[in-house]
């Protein structure tokens, strides 16, 4: 019908054009004849054409024009074109198809639709309504809020009804600490002897244990010569303690919650190993005292987030605390009642780790975004401190930087460009040269704790670092870049991002991102 309509309209348009052409031709002819009569006879239309009295007073041209218009109008009226067009429009309208209205099927009231997640419907498997989203958000915020200031009692989260068993656990840690306060000063072992001792270190099912709920973010080995005691800090704010020499494995580990955010640093006090100091992103630094069974508050800054700390003095009375925003705090624990704090502004936008030189205590090194700076504590300024040395060899984010443990003559850094670097810091001047660059995959991704290369306290020239290689392993490198040893075994099935070595014994403890500790131990060191 659309085609018929279009054809009809085309016919009408063609007819109109033909009529218009005829009219123009007639008009042109009339005008020509009028012109000839006026030239030849000199008479007007009024004299020669009867019935045109209504055109009196007009010029001959105008009278002729009006006459043609009237004749044309009469001619079109005789054709009845408007009536025909109206009839065609009516026919087209009547014959146009109407829109089909498809009836939608009625939805059955009891019809079973697609399966939907009960979690999204806020319904648990027992068809009990779950709390609204706003309530859940409130709970999450409460978990991240700061814990109350002051000391917190050591109450384990996995404590059973046997309270006497837990008291015995704490007593073991406290007494072992008192009995093991002896630091044997031995010279460096030869690489051959050192490697032979590493080969005797093994892992078993009894030396693997889950101690925290979340990913492990820091690990510390107790310096005891008689017992194997390991502490681990987690991203959830937990601290797990594990005594591997406990007769019953199920009774050898307890977890606590002294922080509300990631525990990024754990150190046993060098003067009193019964004290475990822990630093957290929540802006608190606490000291777990096993003798009194409390977590004392050493330092608190609710306006900032802490990233790392180290001891500035050998008696552990003064601490250096690094902030994520680039600030530094000198904390004196000898102040009665509360610690004395002095805040400094560094030249770094962010600080990940701080480490004090083991011999020259006035120097310390900081790792930031892409720069590593060495500062002198005597030149720190509250407005802005300038570093003595800046290292710019790193092209991506830096995870850590540490002095070698005995002399401080070397610095090892871990960078996200998949390189480990060793610098010569034997002479702290305007620059310290780069000695070694080691290719090592440090891309742990989003869900794994970042690698940090740590020196072996027993061996000045060797350091250990986690590995992404298969089978899962922990690598030890010499400062020259040579691989000294790789720890692996059937019980090591995951990536140990953070690993530390015992200061005097051949024991390695590594933590993964599921809260498990993996311990390699020399059977002769048990």
């Amino acid at each position: 019908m659309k085609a018929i309509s279009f054809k009809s309209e085309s016919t009408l348009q063609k007819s109109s054009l033909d009529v218009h052409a005829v009219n123009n031709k007639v008009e042109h002819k009339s005008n020509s004849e009028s012109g000839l009569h006026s030239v030849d006879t000199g008479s007007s239309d009024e004299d020669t054409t009867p019935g045109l009295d209504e055109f009196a007073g007009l010029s001959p041209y105008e009278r002729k024009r009006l006459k043609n218009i009237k004749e044309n109008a009469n001619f079109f009226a005789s054709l009845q074109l408007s009536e025909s067009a109206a009839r065609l429009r009516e026919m087209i309208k009547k014959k146009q198809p109407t829109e089909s209205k498809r009836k939608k099927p009625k939805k059955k009231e009891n019809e079973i639709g697609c399966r939907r997640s009960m979690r999204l419907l806020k319904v648990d498997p027992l068809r009990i309504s779950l709390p609204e989203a706003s309530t859940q958000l409130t709970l999450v915020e409460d978990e991240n809020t700061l814990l109350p200031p002051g000391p917190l009692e050591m109450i384990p989260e996995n404590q059973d009804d046997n309270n006497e068993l837990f008291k015995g656990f704490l007593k073991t840690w406290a007494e072992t600490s008192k009995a093991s306060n002896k630091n044997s000063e031995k010279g460096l072992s030869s690489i051959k002897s050192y490697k032979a001792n590493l080969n005797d270190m093994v892992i078993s099912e009894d030396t693997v244990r889950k101690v925290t709920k979340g990913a492990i973010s820091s690990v510390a080995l107790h310096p005891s010569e008689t017992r194997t005691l390991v502490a681990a800090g987690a991203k959830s704010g937990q601290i797990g303690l594990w005594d591997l020499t406990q007769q019953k494995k199920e009774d050898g580990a307890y977890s606590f919650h002294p922080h509300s955010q990631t525990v990024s640093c754990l150190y046993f006090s060098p003067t009193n190993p019964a004290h475990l100091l822990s630093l957290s992103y929540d802006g608190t630094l606490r000291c777990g005292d096993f003798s009194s069974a409390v977590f004392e508050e050493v330092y608190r800054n609710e306006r900032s987030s802490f990233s790392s700390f180290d001891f500035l003095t050998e008696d552990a009375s003064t601490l250096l605390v690094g902030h994520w925003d680039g600030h530094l705090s000198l904390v004196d624990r000898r102040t009665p009642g509360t610690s004395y704090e002095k805040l400094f502004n560094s030249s770094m936008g962010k600080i990940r780790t701080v480490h004090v030189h083991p011999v020259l205590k006035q120097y310390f090194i900081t790792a930031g975004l892409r720069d590593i700076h060495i500062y002198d504590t005597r030149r720190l300024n509250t407005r802005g401190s300038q570093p003595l040395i800046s290292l710019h060899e790193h092209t991506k984010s830096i995870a850590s930087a540490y002095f070698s443990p005995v002399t401080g003559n070397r610095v090892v850094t871990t960078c996200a460009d998949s390189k480990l670097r060793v610098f010569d810091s034997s002479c702290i001047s305007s620059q310290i040269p780069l000695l070694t660059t080691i290719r090592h995959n440090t891309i742990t991704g989003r869900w794994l704790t970042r690698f940090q290369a740590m020196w072996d306290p027993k061996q000045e020239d060797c350091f250990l670092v986690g590995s992404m290689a298969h089978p899962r392993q922990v690598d030890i490198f010499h400062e020259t870049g040579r691989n000294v040893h790789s720890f692996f075994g059937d019980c090591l099935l995951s990536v140990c991002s953070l690993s530390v070595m015992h200061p005097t014994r051949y024991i390695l403890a590594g933590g993964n991102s599921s809260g498990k500790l993996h311990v390699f131990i020399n059977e002769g060191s048990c």
Side-chain angles (χ1 to χ4, degrees), residues 409-424:
N409 290 341
R410 297 290 184 267
V411 170
V412 61
T413 66
T414 310
C415 184
D417 59 4
S418 292
K419 291 180 181 178
L420 308 174
R421 294 174 173 86
V422 179
F423 295 85
D424 182 5

Side-chain angles (χ1 to χ4, degrees), residues 236-257:
S236 59
Q238 280 186 321
I239 291 180
L241 302 178
W242 183 21
D243 181 4
L244 276 75
T245 51
Q246 190 77 20
Q247 295 297 325
K248 295 182 180 180
K249 183 180 178 182
E250 59 272 13
D251 300 333
Y254 290 92
S255 60
F256 309 87
H257 216 294

